Amino acid sequence: VEATGRAKFDANGDAYQFSGIIQDVTEEYQLQVRKDEFISVASHELKTPITSLSASIQILQKLVKTNPGSDKVPVFVNKASNNLSKLIHLLDDLLNVTKIQQGQLALNINRFDLVDLIKDSCEHINPLNEYEFVFIGDTQLMIYADYRRIDQVMVNLIGNAIKYSPQSKRIEITVFHDDETATVSVRDFGIGINPQKLPHLFDRYYRVDAFGHQFSGLGLGLYISAEIIARHNGKIGVDSTVGNGSNFWFNLPIDDKLNL
Ligand code: ADP
């Protein structure tokens, strides 16, 4: 809360009237704190893959000179490539936020099978079958939406489900529909979320564990996902229990009368 006030004084210098404005700036203040914090988090998040990428390239440069046939070469090429992907992903998120703020997140609507998209996203994220994805519900569901953007939402939700479930490898993905709406939910059995934090999760820069640094991230994935779903005239939400896991869901209108 911010208060500004003024006092009127009589001839003896005693105050005889006060006037003032009390303004609730809590939200504004919190956004500013998160923004300041975000710059330090973002610098750290960008620096980690850059440092690792730079180390891999130095090792590769040495190996190319001294032992180009070494079986370490593909290992470091892979490491470098993974860190480069992380960087591209981080920069994409930052660019997406700018686009959203400028109202320039354009959609490219096509007709496609939502279940296909989800299975593709899962395969992409889980090439070594480290995680157990369980698919429930529809086996095919044609919708009109922006394929690339919905893929981005799925990658964010599945990526979080993996990241925030260090002890569990199981993720359940449910797809169902009624006449008008397709609903997708991504359920994990991870750390869960404190109920007090739930209302802020989809805010820009919001991270539950910002100071703890236990999990990496910029706090932008859910904000961007919520914007993408809102642009499709859909809804996004979450149910969660600390210690039992979270269930993130979104829905989209199925038909082509999106009026976008
Ligand atoms: P981040 O880059 O921090 O993961 P997100 O916008 O994707 O940012 O998520 C915001 C916050 O919501 C995260 O910092 C995390 O605390 C919480 N969160 C998101 N998904 C999950 C999940 N599946 N389980 C527990 N917490 C989650």
Side-chain angles (χ1 to χ4, degrees), residues 93 156-157 160-165 188 190-193 201-203 206-210 215-224 240 245-246 248:
D93 275 359
N156 282 335
L157 297 187
N160 280 347
I162 290 174
K163 181 161 71 173
Y164 297 106
S165 305
D188 66 59
I191 61 170
I193 301 161
L201 283 195
F202 298 94
D203 294 353
Y206 188 82
R207 306 193 61 224
V208 172
D209 194 38
F215 298 98
S216 62
L218 289 180
L220 294 177
L222 289 181
Y223 167 71
I224 294 170
S240 186
S246 309
F248 280 85

Side-chain angles (χ1 to χ4, degrees), residues 109-115 138-147 150 175-184 229 231-235 250-260:
I109 302 295
N110 279 303
R111 189 170 142 84
F112 60 86
D113 180 358
L114 182 60
V115 179
D138 293 340
T139 51
Q140 193 196 32
L141 183 54
M142 299 306 291
I143 60 164
Y144 285 88
D146 184 323
Y147 186 97
I150 299 301
V175 181
F176 64 91
H177 71 281
D178 59 20
D179 287 349
E180 290 166 2
T181 321
T183 303
V184 178
I229 298 302
R231 292 277 285 110
H232 282 83
N233 295 330
K235 290 197 182 100
F250 66 86
N251 62 34
L252 296 167
I254 289 180
D255 65 18
D256 58 344
K257 299 179 208 78
L258 277 173
N259 237 348
L260 294 165

Side-chain angles (χ1 to χ4, degrees), residues 4-153:
T4 48
R6 192 188 292 174
K8 284 189 181 167
F9 299 91
D10 62 18
N12 298 325
D14 292 328
Y16 70 91
Q17 190 186 6
F18 290 100
S19 58
I21 303 170
I22 297 173
Q23 208 178 1
D24 187 350
V25 290
T26 334
E27 268 188 28
E28 233 172 87
Y29 175 74
Q30 278 176 353
L31 183 64
Q32 190 54 47
V33 170
R34 284 212 304 269
K35 251 186 192 168
D36 294 345
E37 197 182 293
F38 171 75
I39 296 190
S40 94
V41 171
S43 319
H44 175 81
E45 289 292 305
L46 289 168
K47 193 157 179 223
T48 310
I50 288 175
T51 309
S52 176
L53 179 59
S54 152
S56 296
I57 288 176
Q58 274 177 21
I59 293 169
L60 283 169
Q61 277 172 331
K62 267 192 203 150
L63 283 175
V64 165
K65 273 192 207 144
T66 56
N67 188 3
S70 159
D71 52 7
K72 293 216 173 98
V73 169
V75 174
F76 284 101
V77 167
N78 252 341
K79 246 189 158 172
S81 159
N82 285 341
N83 279 303
L84 197 55
S85 302
K86 268 189 203 155
L87 280 172
I88 292 172
H89 186 84
L90 288 170
L91 290 173
D92 266 350
D93 275 359
L94 291 170
L95 289 172
N96 276 321
V97 170
T98 312
K99 272 191 186 162
I100 290 168
Q101 281 165 339
Q102 296 173 345
Q104 284 173 353
L105 192 87
L107 293 188
N108 182 10
I109 302 295
N110 279 303
R111 189 170 142 84
F112 60 86
D113 180 358
L114 182 60
V115 179
D116 250 8
L117 175 151
I118 292 171
K119 293 205 165 151
D120 277 357
S121 307
C122 291
E123 259 181 50
H124 217 83
I125 292 177
N126 189 28
L128 304 175
N129 272 324
E130 285 169 83
Y131 301 94
E132 183 200 355
F133 288 108
V134 180
F135 299 100
I136 301 163
D138 293 340
T139 51
Q140 193 196 32
L141 183 54
M142 299 306 291
I143 60 164
Y144 285 88
D146 184 323
Y147 186 97
R148 228 170 49 86
R149 294 290 178 201
I150 299 301
D151 180 54
Q152 202 178 344
V153 173

